[in-house]
């Protein structure tokens, strides 16, 4: 009988390729065997990358506040474990909203998590209503981002407020608990003193204020970068608004923001700060547009859909043309933006990659967060990641922050501000969820009108 049982067990194991007792050392695959390429539908891939990127904000959140950690290193999880980033937390809130709507996150659990987030923000350090760039997740105290950057950060605050508006709109007609959450989000964003950050009434916004150093950082928000949303939020505030003159004279430089240059016969439209006649890093087409819908959005200076689409198209053409002849660049491997970077000596650094600062480093968020603008080209990159290089380039919380094919280099690290735009922008491509939430907010609509914007898409 025992012999018969042994024969049955052996027969089962031989016939079952997934038998638990299989020894991988006996695998017949050799180094010369080409890797197997998996294939998925577009929808399967979009689900896959969204579910993976959500993990950064769900599984790897700061343990007390449950907001976004500044960074996560897979080889050193304790690194900066309690540093919470304000802007990245805003992106994380929008990521969770998209996750709820997709059914990737249980709604009740997400509401409890978001309640923890808002309770923390309610008691954390604020400086004339603005949160700092970094906070200590254990107690809400400011952590200086630099020696003099130890107070309010208006730009990071605007990224967070963009998310609070979306949260309010998403839950305002929910159950009693959800309506209370929406009301709390409303009160938090209305507490920001945007007018204080005009430095005593100037026609411009300033990025920083510190109770110790006051205005010594002296960073005026002018010209084109990632800060458009800061002016939109400041104009939309029902409690501490800034005037339209601040937008036109400060941000738009009385029309000087416009640039007639072209790259690859594609108009650049705006004068990108530090890259006049060219384009800057791709995050400039992402951070302000997680909620602000560029489709049909115009003012006296630009058509904003053309602006962000052209930015993406120029970046794509640059990588395909590959003037510096980096190995690996092509129509399925493209996208430069700010991220971890490879230093000349092979160590890990940080850099704002763009055509004028190309180090051979590709950052996945650059293409993945551009899905609304050039979906076919972005899908080619997504297939490059998940069908051809998943084992190498995708980790525990989605695509790793950066890689350089030329050097066969990958950093197995994550940054909140990079991972945080992937899910919201892909969701805007798929369902327009966050664009619709933000653009339906009455204060936003009035603020845009006050600044001279119109939106054919949203009837503004």
């Amino acid at each position: 009988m025992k012999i018969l049982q042994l024969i049955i067990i052996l027969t089962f194991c031989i016939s079952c390729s997934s038998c638990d007792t299989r020894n991988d050392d006996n695998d017949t695959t050799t180094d010369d065997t080409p890797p197997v390429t998996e294939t998925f539908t577009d929808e399967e891939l979009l689900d896959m990358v969204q579910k993976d990127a959500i993990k950064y904000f769900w599984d790897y959140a700061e343990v007390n506040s449950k907001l976004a950690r500044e960074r996560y290193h897979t080889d050193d999880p304790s690194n900066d474990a309690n540093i919470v980033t304000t802007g990245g937390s805003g992106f994380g809130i929008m990521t969770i909203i998209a996750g709820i709507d997709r059914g990737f996150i249980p709604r009740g659990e997400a509401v409890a998590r978001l309640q923890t987030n808002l309770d923390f923000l309610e008691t954390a350090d604020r400086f004339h209503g603005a949160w700092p760039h970094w906070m200590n997740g254990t107690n809400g105290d400011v952590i200086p981002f630099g020696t003099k950057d130890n107070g309010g950060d208006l730009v990071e605050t605007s990224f967070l407020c963009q998310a609070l508006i979306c949260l309010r709109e998403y839950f305002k007609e929910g159950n009693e608990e959800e309506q209370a959450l929406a009301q709390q989000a409303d009160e938090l964003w209305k507490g920001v003193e945007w007018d204080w950050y005009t430095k005593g009434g100037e026609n411009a916004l300033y990025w920083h204020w510190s109770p110790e150093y006051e205005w010594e950082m002296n960073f005026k928000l002018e010209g084109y970068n990632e800060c458009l949303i800061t002016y939109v939020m400041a104009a939309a505030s029902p409690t501490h608004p800034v005037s339209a003159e601040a937008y036109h004279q400060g941000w738009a430089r009385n029309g000087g923001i416009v640039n007639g240059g072209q790259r690859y016969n594609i108009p650049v439209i705006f004068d990108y700060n530090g890259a006049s006649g060219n384009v800057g890093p791709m995050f400039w087409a992402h951070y302000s547009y997680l909620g602000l819908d560029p489709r049909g959005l115009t003012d006296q200076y630009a058509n904003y859909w053309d602006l962000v689409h052209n930015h993406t198209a120029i970046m794509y053409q640059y990588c395909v043309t590959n003037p510096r002849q980096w190995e690996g660049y092509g129509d399925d491997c493209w996208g430069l933006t700010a991220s971890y970077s490879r230093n000349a000596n092979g160590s890990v650094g940080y850099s704002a990659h763009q055509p004028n600062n190309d180090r051979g480093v590709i950052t996945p968020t650059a293409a993945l967060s551009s899905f609304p603008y050039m979906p076919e080209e972005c899908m080619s990159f997504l297939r490059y990641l998940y069908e051809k290089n998943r084992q190498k380039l995708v980790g525990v919380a989605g695509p790793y922050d950066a890689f350089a094919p030329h050097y066969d280099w990958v950093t197995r690290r994550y940054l909140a501000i990079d991972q945080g735009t992937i899910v919201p922008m892909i969701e805007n491509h798929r369902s327009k969820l966050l664009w619709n939430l933000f653009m339906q907010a009455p204060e936003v609509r009035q603020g845009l009108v006050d600044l001279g914007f119109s939106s054919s898409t949203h009837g503004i």
Side-chain angles (χ1 to χ4, degrees), residues 169-199:
E169 293 299 305
Y170 191 73
F171 290 111
K172 67 182 182 182
E173 295 179 358
N175 61 34
E176 186 176 348
E177 182 183 11
E178 292 171 354
Q179 289 185 32
L181 187 70
Q183 180 62 32
Q184 188 176 10
D186 187 56
E187 292 171 358
L188 284 169
W189 100 268
K190 287 178 178 175
V192 180
E193 298 176 27
W194 306 92
D195 52 350
W196 172 265
Y197 284 82
T198 59
K199 196 176 173 182

Side-chain angles (χ1 to χ4, degrees), residues 107-186:
R107 188 179 181 103
E109 291 181 29
V111 168
R113 170 72 65 94
L114 292 167
Q115 186 67 67
T116 300
N117 294 166
L118 299 198
D119 288 347
F120 176 87
L121 291 170
E122 203 166 54
T123 59
D125 280 348
R126 299 177 75 173
F127 303 88
H128 289 277
W131 288 275
H133 190 121
W134 282 344
M135 294 173 281
N136 187 324
T138 63
N139 55 23
D141 291 350
V142 57
I143 295 177
F145 191 67
T147 301
K148 296 181 179 180
D149 191 357
N150 65 348
D153 185 312
L154 196 68
V155 175
E156 293 281 312
T157 294
S158 68
F159 300 150
L160 176 57
C161 287
Q162 184 177 210
L164 293 173
I165 290 287
C166 290
L167 188 157
R168 184 194 72 189
E169 293 299 305
Y170 191 73
F171 290 111
K172 67 182 182 182
E173 295 179 358
N175 61 34
E176 186 176 348
E177 182 183 11
E178 292 171 354
Q179 289 185 32
L181 187 70
Q183 180 62 32
Q184 188 176 10
D186 187 56

